[in-house]
Amino acid sequence: MKTVVKKTCARRFAHAALRHTLTFTLTLTFILPSVRAAELLPPRIAGPAQWTAHWIVAPEAPAGTNLMFLARRSFTLSSAPERAVLYITADNYYQVFVNGVFVRRGPARSAAHHQSYDALDVASFLRAGKNTLAVRFHHAGITPAYRSGPRAGLLAQLEWTAGGVSGILGTDPQWKAVLDPAWDRGSPRMNNWLNTFVDVADLRKRPDSWTSPDFNDAAWPAAGSNLPGGVRTAEGTKAVPGISWWPSPQPDYVPQAISPPWVNLVSREVPLLVESTVPATRTVLTGRLEDPAAAQPRTEAAAYRFDALPPLKLPPLGEASTASPEPLTLGGAPGQSDVVVFDLGEVHNGYPRLDLEGPAGAIVDVLATPYVLNRTFDPTILNTFAGDRLILSGKREQWEAFFFKPTRYLALVVRGATSPVRIHHASVTRIDYPWNRPGAFAAPGNPWLERFWRAGAKTVEVITTDAYTDNYRERRQYPQTSYYAARGNYAAFGDTFLQRRYLLQNAEEQEPDGALGGYAPVTDGRFMPFLDVQFFWIMSWRDYLLYSGDDATTRRLLPNALRVMQRLAEQTTPDGLLTYPVYPYWIDHAYLDRRGAHFTTNALYALTLDDCAQTLDWLGEPGAPALREAAARIRETLRTKLWVPARGLFAENLSEGKLSPRFSEHANAIAVAARIATPEQTSAILPKLLKLDADVVPATSLFVYWTMAALCLEGRVDAAAAMLQERFDHQFETGNGTLWEEWHLDRTYRQGVREKNSRADAQGECGIFPEAVTRWVAGLEPVTPGQRDFTLRRPATALRDIAATWPTPRGNLRVTWSEGALAIDVPVDTTVRLNLESLRAAPGSLRIDGLLEKSGQSTLPLTTGTHRLTFQPR
């Protein structure tokens, strides 16, 4: 038995003086998480003491893209195990079965240099006698992608204890592996952002019961062992095109689990996703299509257009839905195709699933879409083709898509069927992140605001799988998305695992000069170091410590944070501004003037300096005063050099000594929200935020949070709520209860004119609003790491009844405001500091838990327990 030893290298990080005024002396010590910090990490089974398995692949695996493999290994146990854990990962995705029963799919997204593996408890699936592990795994082999390594491979290691005897079984040449004969590798990608493909499954070629112990795999070849630069098979070692290694491994090289490109194996750092079944039972459309192609069904790659459907007009939302019979009978008319469209009631991230039977060679196209525009079903919405194709075998079959789709509407199109096709069951296997400790918000006087809070929370749910992602289309873990979505999550669900993993994955991709990439993990060679990425990563780093209290992880990321700040400082001019910075920036989809010293960009930089300074203070590290000085210089330069008195607005930028003729909501909202504008400037700006001049570039839904923040900071909470309702109310028309990528679903204004473009009806940046509403309308805000201290203010709103539940690491904090009263439930080891001046109470009227308040203090600390305050409002 071979022992694999993982070596840890100590590294020293030296931090040079920040340009102009920023100077740090840094001594960094890596420490293991304390017990308290470890409690903040996701629960997981520890990894194997040593890896004896190594990476395998089918010996006939060709070079290229879209490869699907089947692998299996049978073994015998003398008794049912008391303990059995399967450690498993693959490039890129796997489905694992034990004795014919589906167990789990994975792994979590990762780059090969920090390959994520899962630890699965499989004891209940094993038995005395013969057992079989079976794995179906896919290799995309394409760029761009966020989880695609340069080569295919499966790594699995089963460890068990049965009858007091322990055993280990890992992937090696005793496994059998083949290319999936039912999978057509010529199928198209779903879009140009994803490394997922359309399933084109020829069920006539699928091996029956290949996951079962009774399956005869004698004709399957032994698996090939992945070596650096090649694959070792029974016939010898063959090179892998595109994978070079010099010097080549010698003939007696022993294959390893830690092997290029998988040079580091990391136990899954986020919880496993939860799966559930959503039946497709409500039919909104059935019909018969004239379809000449159906008379001669084709399955070659050239036909993968999924011959365009005519527009499928659906009835108005919520109307004409009927319960579909089981089995549902479709097709059978020559030269025609039958179609049925189901409405699942809301959007689900999931895998379409069918139990069906029909004539051999008949085609069933399975099409999905998260919403419809103008009541028209369109599976190509979002510049994506969310569809799959089945070629029936003539037997009753069960099929499930390999890649998930965002599905509200599910359509089945039966083509080329010489006799009827019976759909015994249609459903979607939904995947969800396991949220817990839910927050809540209620304002009976403004039901729309309650609905808006829930829409923000729903948006976070919908865009999250194994990471916060931007939307259905790209599914990337962008820093901007993660910043906004995480804030909403903290208030709605209280989860910290997702943001920790995002911060680590982005840091693992950091360039030597300190720049962070536009998304992580990065595997496509396109690093994309956007400027605003640096800001939002630092602000997310600060927020993570605030909301989690995880000092150990925050310190682990300190060198990365300081390198980011160093790189930003290197790009500033003597006035402290970022002027024509090296990296591009996004902000949002609006038509911004991105020349010279851009106001919004520099305002975000000032906020980044603030957040980094505060985090250094929390960690007890030096350097905060210099950062605050740099932030103050930015604010002073912006407020004095970019203000246009004649307009009462800040200009978009300062370029070549001239102010931009363009004005934006972005610049002026963040001028107030970031405390750049003077009181006089703020007074001029606020009315213009509520009613934008015709020449002012409006913010999209992705940036309008800052407009809300500006209004609320100045006590205009009701005006902010009315502004949100005016802008967002129409976004509920899809019925999904989510908030959109832009104000319209069919166009963008990136160039200042209407451009036809398909936009998402759920975007991660809009997930911030549960936090924003709870903070500004309920008056709650955490202010120290681990949310051990909160501030609470009576909100400046005409609403009299407001209730909020805020999840903390130690339990839920509940606040209920009513006319002249406050009820609050404070969790253990938590202090809420109530601003007494904000109560606007008549003198001598404040009672706390029945006792008259006489301290005369401006703030009142409320500690663990339930408290009730009453007062006479002025």
Side-chain angles (χ1 to χ4, degrees), residues 717-746:
V717 174
D718 292 332
M723 178 272 297
L724 293 171
Q725 183 169 2
E726 179 184 358
R727 298 198 190 190
F728 281 97
D729 191 49
H730 71 284
Q731 296 196 1
F732 293 104
E733 68 188 29
T734 66
N736 282 333
T738 51
L739 303 178
W740 301 355
E741 181 180 11
E742 294 196 46
W743 298 120
H744 301 279
L745 291 176
D746 62 350

PDB file of all heavy atoms in Angstrom, residues 717-746:
ATOM      1  N   VAL A 717     -36.944  57.573   3.950  1.00  0.00           N
ATOM      2  CA  VAL A 717     -37.235  56.146   3.822  1.00  0.00           C
ATOM      3  C   VAL A 717     -38.491  55.906   2.993  1.00  0.00           C
ATOM      4  O   VAL A 717     -38.523  55.038   2.110  1.00  0.00           O
ATOM      5  CB  VAL A 717     -37.363  55.500   5.214  1.00  0.00           C
ATOM      6  CG1 VAL A 717     -37.814  54.039   5.091  1.00  0.00           C
ATOM      7  CG2 VAL A 717     -36.041  55.578   5.959  1.00  0.00           C
ATOM      8  N   ASP A 718     -39.544  56.653   3.257  1.00  0.00           N
ATOM      9  CA  ASP A 718     -40.781  56.457   2.507  1.00  0.00           C
ATOM     10  C   ASP A 718     -40.601  56.813   1.037  1.00  0.00           C
ATOM     11  O   ASP A 718     -41.155  56.150   0.155  1.00  0.00           O
ATOM     12  CB  ASP A 718     -41.909  57.274   3.126  1.00  0.00           C
ATOM     13  CG  ASP A 718     -42.316  56.746   4.495  1.00  0.00           C
ATOM     14  OD1 ASP A 718     -42.152  55.529   4.725  1.00  0.00           O
ATOM     15  OD2 ASP A 718     -42.783  57.539   5.325  1.00  0.00           O
ATOM     16  N   ALA A 719     -39.820  57.851   0.767  1.00  0.00           N
ATOM     17  CA  ALA A 719     -39.547  58.212  -0.623  1.00  0.00           C
ATOM     18  C   ALA A 719     -38.749  57.120  -1.314  1.00  0.00           C
ATOM     19  O   ALA A 719     -38.975  56.811  -2.490  1.00  0.00           O
ATOM     20  CB  ALA A 719     -38.800  59.546  -0.683  1.00  0.00           C
ATOM     21  N   ALA A 720     -37.805  56.513  -0.582  1.00  0.00           N
ATOM     22  CA  ALA A 720     -37.026  55.412  -1.153  1.00  0.00           C
ATOM     23  C   ALA A 720     -37.925  54.228  -1.465  1.00  0.00           C
ATOM     24  O   ALA A 720     -37.806  53.596  -2.522  1.00  0.00           O
ATOM     25  CB  ALA A 720     -35.920  54.999  -0.188  1.00  0.00           C
ATOM     26  N   ALA A 721     -38.854  53.907  -0.553  1.00  0.00           N
ATOM     27  CA  ALA A 721     -39.766  52.788  -0.795  1.00  0.00           C
ATOM     28  C   ALA A 721     -40.651  53.059  -2.006  1.00  0.00           C
ATOM     29  O   ALA A 721     -40.904  52.162  -2.826  1.00  0.00           O
ATOM     30  CB  ALA A 721     -40.618  52.529   0.443  1.00  0.00           C
ATOM     31  N   ALA A 722     -41.128  54.304  -2.128  1.00  0.00           N
ATOM     32  CA  ALA A 722     -41.964  54.647  -3.282  1.00  0.00           C
ATOM     33  C   ALA A 722     -41.162  54.566  -4.577  1.00  0.00           C
ATOM     34  O   ALA A 722     -41.673  54.121  -5.612  1.00  0.00           O
ATOM     35  CB  ALA A 722     -42.541  56.048  -3.102  1.00  0.00           C
ATOM     36  N   MET A 723     -39.895  54.989  -4.535  1.00  0.00           N
ATOM     37  CA  MET A 723     -39.030  54.897  -5.718  1.00  0.00           C
ATOM     38  C   MET A 723     -38.838  53.447  -6.135  1.00  0.00           C
ATOM     39  O   MET A 723     -38.941  53.105  -7.324  1.00  0.00           O
ATOM     40  CB  MET A 723     -37.679  55.540  -5.409  1.00  0.00           C
ATOM     41  CG  MET A 723     -36.650  55.485  -6.532  1.00  0.00           C
ATOM     42  SD  MET A 723     -35.615  53.965  -6.550  1.00  0.00           S
ATOM     43  CE  MET A 723     -34.746  54.090  -4.980  1.00  0.00           C
ATOM     44  N   LEU A 724     -38.598  52.567  -5.164  1.00  0.00           N
ATOM     45  CA  LEU A 724     -38.423  51.156  -5.481  1.00  0.00           C
ATOM     46  C   LEU A 724     -39.691  50.566  -6.088  1.00  0.00           C
ATOM     47  O   LEU A 724     -39.632  49.809  -7.062  1.00  0.00           O
ATOM     48  CB  LEU A 724     -38.036  50.385  -4.222  1.00  0.00           C
ATOM     49  CG  LEU A 724     -36.665  50.695  -3.619  1.00  0.00           C
ATOM     50  CD1 LEU A 724     -36.516  50.024  -2.264  1.00  0.00           C
ATOM     51  CD2 LEU A 724     -35.537  50.266  -4.546  1.00  0.00           C
ATOM     52  N   GLN A 725     -40.845  50.920  -5.524  1.00  0.00           N
ATOM     53  CA  GLN A 725     -42.089  50.376  -6.059  1.00  0.00           C
ATOM     54  C   GLN A 725     -42.340  50.859  -7.472  1.00  0.00           C
ATOM     55  O   GLN A 725     -42.748  50.075  -8.353  1.00  0.00           O
ATOM     56  CB  GLN A 725     -43.270  50.761  -5.169  1.00  0.00           C
ATOM     57  CG  GLN A 725     -44.593  50.151  -5.646  1.00  0.00           C
ATOM     58  CD  GLN A 725     -45.707  50.295  -4.631  1.00  0.00           C
ATOM     59  OE1 GLN A 725     -45.520  50.890  -3.579  1.00  0.00           O
ATOM     60  NE2 GLN A 725     -46.866  49.746  -4.950  1.00  0.00           N
ATOM     61  N   GLU A 726     -42.055  52.116  -7.738  1.00  0.00           N
ATOM     62  CA  GLU A 726     -42.253  52.653  -9.085  1.00  0.00           C
ATOM     63  C   GLU A 726     -41.383  51.929 -10.106  1.00  0.00           C
ATOM     64  O   GLU A 726     -41.813  51.644 -11.220  1.00  0.00           O
ATOM     65  CB  GLU A 726     -41.940  54.148  -9.092  1.00  0.00           C
ATOM     66  CG  GLU A 726     -42.092  54.794 -10.457  1.00  0.00           C
ATOM     67  CD  GLU A 726     -41.680  56.259 -10.455  1.00  0.00           C
ATOM     68  OE1 GLU A 726     -41.316  56.784  -9.386  1.00  0.00           O
ATOM     69  OE2 GLU A 726     -41.716  56.874 -11.535  1.00  0.00           O
ATOM     70  N   ARG A 727     -40.162  51.609  -9.707  1.00  0.00           N
ATOM     71  CA  ARG A 727     -39.223  51.027 -10.672  1.00  0.00           C
ATOM     72  C   ARG A 727     -39.345  49.511 -10.782  1.00  0.00           C
ATOM     73  O   ARG A 727     -39.117  48.942 -11.856  1.00  0.00           O
ATOM     74  CB  ARG A 727     -37.793  51.403 -10.287  1.00  0.00           C
ATOM     75  CG  ARG A 727     -37.530  52.902 -10.312  1.00  0.00           C
ATOM     76  CD  ARG A 727     -36.053  53.168 -10.364  1.00  0.00           C
ATOM     77  NE  ARG A 727     -35.741  54.578 -10.144  1.00  0.00           N
ATOM     78  CZ  ARG A 727     -34.533  55.100 -10.324  1.00  0.00           C
ATOM     79  NH1 ARG A 727     -33.539  54.332 -10.721  1.00  0.00           N
ATOM     80  NH2 ARG A 727     -34.308  56.377 -10.099  1.00  0.00           N
ATOM     81  N   PHE A 728     -39.667  48.854  -9.688  1.00  0.00           N
ATOM     82  CA  PHE A 728     -39.621  47.391  -9.684  1.00  0.00           C
ATOM     83  C   PHE A 728     -40.985  46.722  -9.821  1.00  0.00           C
ATOM     84  O   PHE A 728     -41.034  45.514 -10.071  1.00  0.00           O
ATOM     85  CB  PHE A 728     -38.974  46.881  -8.390  1.00  0.00           C
ATOM     86  CG  PHE A 728     -37.474  46.959  -8.359  1.00  0.00           C
ATOM     87  CD1 PHE A 728     -36.830  48.026  -7.760  1.00  0.00           C
ATOM     88  CD2 PHE A 728     -36.696  45.952  -8.927  1.00  0.00           C
ATOM     89  CE1 PHE A 728     -35.443  48.093  -7.711  1.00  0.00           C
ATOM     90  CE2 PHE A 728     -35.315  46.008  -8.887  1.00  0.00           C
ATOM     91  CZ  PHE A 728     -34.681  47.086  -8.283  1.00  0.00           C
ATOM     92  N   ASP A 729     -42.057  47.448  -9.640  1.00  0.00           N
ATOM     93  CA  ASP A 729     -43.360  46.798  -9.545  1.00  0.00           C
ATOM     94  C   ASP A 729     -43.674  45.916 -10.753  1.00  0.00           C
ATOM     95  O   ASP A 729     -44.198  44.814 -10.614  1.00  0.00           O
ATOM     96  CB  ASP A 729     -44.459  47.849  -9.368  1.00  0.00           C
ATOM     97  CG  ASP A 729     -45.785  47.216  -8.988  1.00  0.00           C
ATOM     98  OD1 ASP A 729     -45.810  46.390  -8.057  1.00  0.00           O
ATOM     99  OD2 ASP A 729     -46.799  47.526  -9.634  1.00  0.00           O
ATOM    100  N   HIS A 730     -43.323  46.373 -11.948  1.00  0.00           N
ATOM    101  CA  HIS A 730     -43.634  45.590 -13.143  1.00  0.00           C
ATOM    102  C   HIS A 730     -42.848  44.293 -13.212  1.00  0.00           C
ATOM    103  O   HIS A 730     -43.174  43.396 -13.991  1.00  0.00           O
ATOM    104  CB  HIS A 730     -43.358  46.425 -14.398  1.00  0.00           C
ATOM    105  CG  HIS A 730     -41.900  46.647 -14.663  1.00  0.00           C
ATOM    106  ND1 HIS A 730     -41.131  47.554 -13.956  1.00  0.00           N
ATOM    107  CD2 HIS A 730     -41.059  46.071 -15.553  1.00  0.00           C
ATOM    108  CE1 HIS A 730     -39.885  47.531 -14.408  1.00  0.00           C
ATOM    109  NE2 HIS A 730     -39.816  46.636 -15.382  1.00  0.00           N
ATOM    110  N   GLN A 731     -41.783  44.154 -12.393  1.00  0.00           N
ATOM    111  CA  GLN A 731     -40.965  42.954 -12.466  1.00  0.00           C
ATOM    112  C   GLN A 731     -41.646  41.724 -11.872  1.00  0.00           C
ATOM    113  O   GLN A 731     -41.145  40.611 -12.007  1.00  0.00           O
ATOM    114  CB  GLN A 731     -39.615  43.203 -11.782  1.00  0.00           C
ATOM    115  CG  GLN A 731     -38.788  44.265 -12.487  1.00  0.00           C
ATOM    116  CD  GLN A 731     -37.328  44.259 -12.080  1.00  0.00           C
ATOM    117  OE1 GLN A 731     -36.897  43.454 -11.269  1.00  0.00           O
ATOM    118  NE2 GLN A 731     -36.559  45.171 -12.652  1.00  0.00           N
ATOM    119  N   PHE A 732     -42.783  41.924 -11.238  1.00  0.00           N
ATOM    120  CA  PHE A 732     -43.511  40.780 -10.708  1.00  0.00           C
ATOM    121  C   PHE A 732     -44.394  40.132 -11.774  1.00  0.00           C
ATOM    122  O   PHE A 732     -45.063  39.132 -11.504  1.00  0.00           O
ATOM    123  CB  PHE A 732     -44.350  41.195  -9.503  1.00  0.00           C
ATOM    124  CG  PHE A 732     -43.524  41.603  -8.320  1.00  0.00           C
ATOM    125  CD1 PHE A 732     -43.372  42.935  -7.983  1.00  0.00           C
ATOM    126  CD2 PHE A 732     -42.875  40.650  -7.557  1.00  0.00           C
ATOM    127  CE1 PHE A 732     -42.606  43.312  -6.900  1.00  0.00           C
ATOM    128  CE2 PHE A 732     -42.096  41.014  -6.471  1.00  0.00           C
ATOM    129  CZ  PHE A 732     -41.951  42.351  -6.134  1.00  0.00           C
ATOM    130  N   GLU A 733     -44.390  40.681 -12.983  1.00  0.00           N
ATOM    131  CA  GLU A 733     -45.331  40.205 -13.988  1.00  0.00           C
ATOM    132  C   GLU A 733     -44.997  38.819 -14.508  1.00  0.00           C
ATOM    133  O   GLU A 733     -45.859  38.149 -15.073  1.00  0.00           O
ATOM    134  CB  GLU A 733     -45.405  41.200 -15.149  1.00  0.00           C
ATOM    135  CG  GLU A 733     -44.137  41.293 -15.976  1.00  0.00           C
ATOM    136  CD  GLU A 733     -44.176  42.430 -16.992  1.00  0.00           C
ATOM    137  OE1 GLU A 733     -44.850  43.440 -16.740  1.00  0.00           O
ATOM    138  OE2 GLU A 733     -43.516  42.285 -18.035  1.00  0.00           O
ATOM    139  N   THR A 734     -43.754  38.338 -14.364  1.00  0.00           N
ATOM    140  CA  THR A 734     -43.444  36.977 -14.819  1.00  0.00           C
ATOM    141  C   THR A 734     -44.012  35.924 -13.883  1.00  0.00           C
ATOM    142  O   THR A 734     -44.087  34.749 -14.252  1.00  0.00           O
ATOM    143  CB  THR A 734     -41.926  36.742 -14.933  1.00  0.00           C
ATOM    144  OG1 THR A 734     -41.344  36.797 -13.625  1.00  0.00           O
ATOM    145  CG2 THR A 734     -41.271  37.770 -15.837  1.00  0.00           C
ATOM    146  N   GLY A 735     -44.377  36.327 -12.680  1.00  0.00           N
ATOM    147  CA  GLY A 735     -44.944  35.377 -11.732  1.00  0.00           C
ATOM    148  C   GLY A 735     -43.925  34.589 -10.947  1.00  0.00           C
ATOM    149  O   GLY A 735     -44.281  33.782 -10.088  1.00  0.00           O
ATOM    150  N   ASN A 736     -42.620  34.801 -11.194  1.00  0.00           N
ATOM    151  CA  ASN A 736     -41.592  34.057 -10.472  1.00  0.00           C
ATOM    152  C   ASN A 736     -41.221  34.709  -9.151  1.00  0.00           C
ATOM    153  O   ASN A 736     -40.516  34.102  -8.336  1.00  0.00           O
ATOM    154  CB  ASN A 736     -40.340  33.906 -11.337  1.00  0.00           C
ATOM    155  CG  ASN A 736     -40.506  32.828 -12.382  1.00  0.00           C
ATOM    156  OD1 ASN A 736     -41.271  31.893 -12.198  1.00  0.00           O
ATOM    157  ND2 ASN A 736     -39.801  32.961 -13.501  1.00  0.00           N
ATOM    158  N   GLY A 737     -41.623  35.966  -8.955  1.00  0.00           N
ATOM    159  CA  GLY A 737     -41.315  36.633  -7.702  1.00  0.00           C
ATOM    160  C   GLY A 737     -39.853  36.934  -7.520  1.00  0.00           C
ATOM    161  O   GLY A 737     -39.338  36.933  -6.397  1.00  0.00           O
ATOM    162  N   THR A 738     -39.149  37.200  -8.622  1.00  0.00           N
ATOM    163  CA  THR A 738     -37.719  37.506  -8.579  1.00  0.00           C
ATOM    164  C   THR A 738     -37.468  38.873  -9.205  1.00  0.00           C
ATOM    165  O   THR A 738     -38.332  39.434  -9.882  1.00  0.00           O
ATOM    166  CB  THR A 738     -36.915  36.433  -9.331  1.00  0.00           C
ATOM    167  OG1 THR A 738     -37.495  36.245 -10.640  1.00  0.00           O
ATOM    168  CG2 THR A 738     -36.932  35.104  -8.595  1.00  0.00           C
ATOM    169  N   LEU A 739     -36.262  39.398  -8.992  1.00  0.00           N
ATOM    170  CA  LEU A 739     -35.903  40.730  -9.471  1.00  0.00           C
ATOM    171  C   LEU A 739     -34.925  40.617 -10.632  1.00  0.00           C
ATOM    172  O   LEU A 739     -33.992  39.811 -10.603  1.00  0.00           O
ATOM    173  CB  LEU A 739     -35.295  41.549  -8.324  1.00  0.00           C
ATOM    174  CG  LEU A 739     -36.209  41.675  -7.090  1.00  0.00           C
ATOM    175  CD1 LEU A 739     -35.513  42.456  -5.984  1.00  0.00           C
ATOM    176  CD2 LEU A 739     -37.544  42.315  -7.454  1.00  0.00           C
ATOM    177  N   TRP A 740     -35.103  41.473 -11.622  1.00  0.00           N
ATOM    178  CA  TRP A 740     -34.508  41.278 -12.942  1.00  0.00           C
ATOM    179  C   TRP A 740     -33.102  41.849 -13.072  1.00  0.00           C
ATOM    180  O   TRP A 740     -32.657  42.702 -12.300  1.00  0.00           O
ATOM    181  CB  TRP A 740     -35.391  41.933 -14.000  1.00  0.00           C
ATOM    182  CG  TRP A 740     -36.787  41.428 -14.062  1.00  0.00           C
ATOM    183  CD1 TRP A 740     -37.342  40.395 -13.347  1.00  0.00           C
ATOM    184  CD2 TRP A 740     -37.839  41.946 -14.888  1.00  0.00           C
ATOM    185  NE1 TRP A 740     -38.661  40.236 -13.690  1.00  0.00           N
ATOM    186  CE2 TRP A 740     -38.994  41.170 -14.625  1.00  0.00           C
ATOM    187  CE3 TRP A 740     -37.907  42.977 -15.820  1.00  0.00           C
ATOM    188  CZ2 TRP A 740     -40.209  41.405 -15.272  1.00  0.00           C
ATOM    189  CZ3 TRP A 740     -39.110  43.207 -16.463  1.00  0.00           C
ATOM    190  CH2 TRP A 740     -40.252  42.426 -16.187  1.00  0.00           C
ATOM    191  N   GLU A 741     -32.457  41.409 -14.169  1.00  0.00           N
ATOM    192  CA  GLU A 741     -31.110  41.881 -14.524  1.00  0.00           C
ATOM    193  C   GLU A 741     -31.122  43.334 -14.981  1.00  0.00           C
ATOM    194  O   GLU A 741     -30.172  44.080 -14.733  1.00  0.00           O
ATOM    195  CB  GLU A 741     -30.562  40.979 -15.632  1.00  0.00           C
ATOM    196  CG  GLU A 741     -29.168  41.309 -16.102  1.00  0.00           C
ATOM    197  CD  GLU A 741     -28.710  40.382 -17.200  1.00  0.00           C
ATOM    198  OE1 GLU A 741     -29.535  39.610 -17.743  1.00  0.00           O
ATOM    199  OE2 GLU A 741     -27.503  40.411 -17.523  1.00  0.00           O
ATOM    200  N   GLU A 742     -32.151  43.718 -15.705  1.00  0.00           N
ATOM    201  CA  GLU A 742     -32.321  45.105 -16.143  1.00  0.00           C
ATOM    202  C   GLU A 742     -33.801  45.449 -16.009  1.00  0.00           C
ATOM    203  O   GLU A 742     -34.621  44.610 -15.641  1.00  0.00           O
ATOM    204  CB  GLU A 742     -31.818  45.294 -17.573  1.00  0.00           C
ATOM    205  CG  GLU A 742     -30.304  45.087 -17.701  1.00  0.00           C
ATOM    206  CD  GLU A 742     -29.750  45.636 -18.998  1.00  0.00           C
ATOM    207  OE1 GLU A 742     -30.087  46.764 -19.376  1.00  0.00           O
ATOM    208  OE2 GLU A 742     -28.955  44.920 -19.639  1.00  0.00           O
ATOM    209  N   TRP A 743     -34.148  46.693 -16.316  1.00  0.00           N
ATOM    210  CA  TRP A 743     -35.535  47.105 -16.130  1.00  0.00           C
ATOM    211  C   TRP A 743     -36.472  46.412 -17.103  1.00  0.00           C
ATOM    212  O   TRP A 743     -37.669  46.307 -16.850  1.00  0.00           O
ATOM    213  CB  TRP A 743     -35.664  48.622 -16.275  1.00  0.00           C
ATOM    214  CG  TRP A 743     -34.871  49.380 -15.258  1.00  0.00           C
ATOM    215  CD1 TRP A 743     -33.877  50.276 -15.487  1.00  0.00           C
ATOM    216  CD2 TRP A 743     -35.004  49.304 -13.824  1.00  0.00           C
ATOM    217  NE1 TRP A 743     -33.377  50.764 -14.303  1.00  0.00           N
ATOM    218  CE2 TRP A 743     -34.057  50.179 -13.267  1.00  0.00           C
ATOM    219  CE3 TRP A 743     -35.829  48.581 -12.962  1.00  0.00           C
ATOM    220  CZ2 TRP A 743     -33.917  50.356 -11.890  1.00  0.00           C
ATOM    221  CZ3 TRP A 743     -35.687  48.751 -11.597  1.00  0.00           C
ATOM    222  CH2 TRP A 743     -34.746  49.623 -11.072  1.00  0.00           C
ATOM    223  N   HIS A 744     -35.929  45.915 -18.228  1.00  0.00           N
ATOM    224  CA  HIS A 744     -36.746  45.232 -19.225  1.00  0.00           C
ATOM    225  C   HIS A 744     -36.116  43.883 -19.545  1.00  0.00           C
ATOM    226  O   HIS A 744     -34.892  43.724 -19.493  1.00  0.00           O
ATOM    227  CB  HIS A 744     -36.872  46.082 -20.489  1.00  0.00           C
ATOM    228  CG  HIS A 744     -37.476  47.432 -20.236  1.00  0.00           C
ATOM    229  ND1 HIS A 744     -38.828  47.629 -20.120  1.00  0.00           N
ATOM    230  CD2 HIS A 744     -36.895  48.643 -20.037  1.00  0.00           C
ATOM    231  CE1 HIS A 744     -39.070  48.910 -19.872  1.00  0.00           C
ATOM    232  NE2 HIS A 744     -37.918  49.543 -19.820  1.00  0.00           N
ATOM    233  N   LEU A 745     -36.945  42.921 -19.908  1.00  0.00           N
ATOM    234  CA  LEU A 745     -36.464  41.573 -20.188  1.00  0.00           C
ATOM    235  C   LEU A 745     -36.039  41.376 -21.635  1.00  0.00           C
ATOM    236  O   LEU A 745     -35.446  40.354 -21.964  1.00  0.00           O
ATOM    237  CB  LEU A 745     -37.549  40.546 -19.846  1.00  0.00           C
ATOM    238  CG  LEU A 745     -37.863  40.378 -18.355  1.00  0.00           C
ATOM    239  CD1 LEU A 745     -39.022  39.402 -18.167  1.00  0.00           C
ATOM    240  CD2 LEU A 745     -36.635  39.898 -17.591  1.00  0.00           C
ATOM    241  N   ASP A 746     -36.341  42.337 -22.482  1.00  0.00           N
ATOM    242  CA  ASP A 746     -36.044  42.138 -23.898  1.00  0.00           C
ATOM    243  C   ASP A 746     -35.135  43.202 -24.486  1.00  0.00           C
ATOM    244  O   ASP A 746     -34.995  43.291 -25.705  1.00  0.00           O
ATOM    245  CB  ASP A 746     -37.343  42.077 -24.709  1.00  0.00           C
ATOM    246  CG  ASP A 746     -38.148  43.368 -24.619  1.00  0.00           C
ATOM    247  OD1 ASP A 746     -37.803  44.235 -23.789  1.00  0.00           O
ATOM    248  OD2 ASP A 746     -39.121  43.504 -25.379  1.00  0.00           O
TER     249      ASP A 746
END
